[in-house]
Amino acid sequence: MKISLPFRNQNYIFSSAYLFFFFAAWSIWWSFYAIWLKNNLGISGTDLGTIYSINQFTSITFMILYGVIQDKLGIRKHLMWIISLVLIATGPFLIYVYEPLLNSNFMIGVILGSILFSLGYLSACGLIDSFVEKISRKFGFEYGQARLWGCIGYALAAAIGGIFFSINPHLNFWSVSVIGILFFMTNCLYHPAKAVNRKTVQQKTDRYNAITLNDFIIIFKNPKFWSLVVFTLGTWSFYNIYDQQLFPVFFSRLFSDPDIGVRVYGQLNSVQVILEGIGMACIPLLINRIGPKHALLLGGIIMTCRIMGSAIFSDIYIISFIKMLHAIEVPLFVISIFKYNAVNFDKRLSATLFLVGFQIATSIGIIILSIPIGMLFDRIGYHQIFFVIACIVIISIIAGLFTLSNKKLAS
């Protein structure tokens, strides 16, 4: 089957721009967040786990609100204004508020940071993904084809960010605000309602406004929903802890000079995310063929190989190759979740399903696990903790084989 990108579709172009600028803004500082906290500010493994736990705990409230509100809004862009403002404010906040508070009033800094990060990043990531997924279904293109540009934005920013970070992390933080202005301009220019006639917009608006509390209750009573939540807890939660809290510092310390490690990590991250973008465009064909369940299980197997490989090897080249598996793993998970929800649940609730069933489940796992894993890491080190995480993911994959719905997309 031929892969083509619908550049003539203005909704595709603007959707791609949203994703490109958002993920570029996130990548240019978040890719190096754990390294900055640990190497530059001297945060311990336990305190790092505390920061991540509180960040994720705070994000849950916003995920619920974002999901319900966006499902009521449909394809309207009101919530994008909030994200725009947070992106623009990130640079000054990190430099003049967050960093000084972490050094002087740790918990106050962590709590304030968790609010801003939740509003603009941790919760907003799922919001933008679900917003674009709604647009893709409305205007006839694959979500993965737009998500490709989010990966490209992330990759370019990671490559530049690695250079900036080795000079001064504040360069990364100011860059976020600049990219945030471009995101703001994108939101000013995009008018999704103009792409369809007034009658169609009104009908769609009425339909979304008709969503009731009972619609959400039906979802939460569905065993298929909870099977997905449990699978997510046992896989994607551990992926986030491994990939965000542990792997960046682990990789940078494989080098005799940590600054070189950070720069190489940024470049490697850039290549990996470009490959991930290609996967976003191509992997929907595989998922449509094998079904969302088997695609999720395949993503879990690749995840296990990656984590177990980090537990076994210390060679820089082997670890670099292992990181490239991320490029297959992430598209399989993210796109499969949307397609799994589409075939098993009410499509009108796609934002809530993605944010609650996937993002919040992930956050709960991180909240529960970050501090214990941080404490365990302080005692046993990287390789042993990677082995523990890989074993838990394997158990979750076996459970998912028997509990996830096998329903496929209509051909």
Side-chain angles (χ1 to χ4, degrees):
M1 185 178 292
K2 184 180 178 182
I3 302 284
S4 60
L5 301 179
F7 289 113
R8 294 183 179 180
N9 187 332
Q10 68 166 349
N11 298 284
Y12 169 76
I13 293 172
F14 277 103
S15 296
S16 300
Y18 275 118
L19 291 163
F20 180 90
F21 291 128
F22 174 80
F23 281 99
W26 195 2
S27 167
I28 205 162
W29 74 280
W30 187 259
S31 297
F32 310 97
Y33 181 53
I35 298 174
W36 175 63
L37 291 173
K38 201 161 183 65
N39 292 355
N40 293 71
L41 302 187
I43 301 296
S44 69
T46 302
D47 284 343
L48 188 65
T50 300
I51 291 172
Y52 273 87
S53 290
I54 293 176
N55 285 347
Q56 295 296 332
F57 180 81
T58 306
S59 72
I60 289 177
T61 300
F62 294 108
M63 286 181 190
I64 295 171
L65 291 174
Y66 277 165
V68 173
I69 293 171
Q70 193 60 56
D71 280 334
K72 297 284 284 184
L73 290 172
I75 60 171
R76 289 174 289 174
K77 61 179 187 177
H78 298 52
L79 294 178
M80 298 302 111
W81 296 115
I82 297 175
I83 298 172
S84 301
L85 296 176
V86 173
L87 294 182
I88 294 170
T90 297
F93 173 80
L94 287 171
I95 295 170
Y96 299 117
V97 179
Y98 192 60
E99 182 175 343
L101 283 176
L102 287 183
N103 290 321
S104 60
N105 296 282
F106 180 76
M107 286 308 301
I108 294 176
V110 171
I111 292 170
L112 289 178
S114 70
I115 294 171
L116 184 131
F117 302 156
S118 297
L119 271 172
Y121 300 95
L122 299 173
S123 304
C125 175
L127 170 64
I128 290 178
D129 276 331
S130 58
F131 175 64
V132 170
E133 192 269 341
K134 286 178 182 291
I135 294 173
S136 72
R137 284 190 283 109
K138 177 66 180 176
F139 296 106
F141 59 89
E142 278 279 0
Y143 156 77
Q145 294 176 330
R147 189 60 167 75
L148 157 69
W149 295 99
C151 296
I152 293 174
Y154 195 100
L156 292 175
I160 297 170
I163 298 171
F164 284 177
F165 191 89
S166 64
I167 300 171
N168 188 337
H170 288 185
L171 292 174
N172 299 67
F173 303 155
W174 283 120
S175 299
V176 181
S177 296
V178 173
I179 300 170
I181 293 171
L182 297 175
F183 186 95
F184 178 86
M185 293 172 61
T186 299
N187 206 42
C188 290
L189 295 171
Y190 183 44
H191 303 286
K194 290 183 178 180
V196 290
N197 62 59
R198 185 178 300 274
K199 181 179 179 181
T200 302
V201 172
Q202 186 60 48
Q203 288 174 344
K204 186 172 184 64
T205 300
D206 292 342
R207 185 166 174 261
Y208 274 97
N209 287 339
I211 294 175
T212 65
L213 178 61
N214 189 57
D215 294 318
F216 295 101
I217 292 174
I218 290 172
I219 293 294
F220 295 133
K221 288 183 176 179
N222 192 330
K224 294 179 183 177
F225 173 78
W226 293 108
S227 296
L228 181 63
V229 168
V230 171
F231 179 79
T232 300
L233 284 169
T235 53
W236 197 254
S237 295
F238 284 95
Y239 158 78
N240 275 272
I241 293 172
Y242 160 81
D243 196 64
Q244 295 179 12
Q245 293 178 227
L246 300 173
F247 187 83
V249 182
F250 166 71
F251 184 84
S252 68
R253 291 186 177 180
L254 294 176
F255 294 79
S256 57
D257 184 347
D259 287 338
I260 295 175
V262 171
R263 187 170 297 187
V264 173
Y265 176 78
Q267 295 169 348
L268 189 66
N269 209 30
S270 179
V271 174
Q272 167 241 297
V273 179
I274 289 174
L275 295 176
E276 180 185 321
I278 296 172
M280 287 288 182
C282 300
I283 281 178
L285 301 177
L286 172 65
I287 297 172
N288 290 342
R289 190 173 191 85
I290 67 175
K293 172 185 175 177
H294 292 102
L296 286 170
L297 295 175
L298 178 60
I301 292 170
I302 295 171
M303 177 190 295
T304 303
C305 294
R306 186 180 171 199
I307 300 171
M308 189 66 76
S310 299
I312 297 172
F313 300 104
S314 296
D315 181 81
I316 292 172
Y317 296 101
I318 295 177
I319 297 298
S320 297
F321 173 77
I322 287 171
K323 181 167 174 55
M324 293 300 103
L325 294 176
H326 180 113
I328 304 173
E329 169 192 330
V330 172
L332 279 170
F333 262 91
V334 174
I335 298 174
S336 296
I337 288 291
F338 278 119
K339 291 184 179 291
Y340 186 93
N341 289 340
V343 298
N344 288 290
F345 311 113
D346 189 340
K347 295 182 179 65
R348 295 178 302 159
L349 307 179
S350 60
T352 301
L353 286 164
F354 184 71
L355 284 160
V356 175
F358 185 60
Q359 298 281 13
I360 289 183
T362 301
S363 295
I364 291 173
I366 293 173
I367 291 166
I368 295 171
L369 300 166
S370 286
I371 294 176
I373 286 182
M375 295 172 66
L376 187 60
F377 160 75
D378 286 339
R379 297 183 64 180
I380 67 175
Y382 286 107
H383 293 287
Q384 290 83 357
I385 201 70
F386 289 157
F387 181 77
V388 171
I389 292 174
C391 290
I392 296 171
V393 173
I394 290 171
I395 294 170
S396 301
I397 293 169
I398 295 172
L401 181 64
F402 297 100
T403 59
L404 291 176
S405 169
N406 204 31
K407 191 174 181 181
K408 292 186 178 182
L409 295 149
S411 46

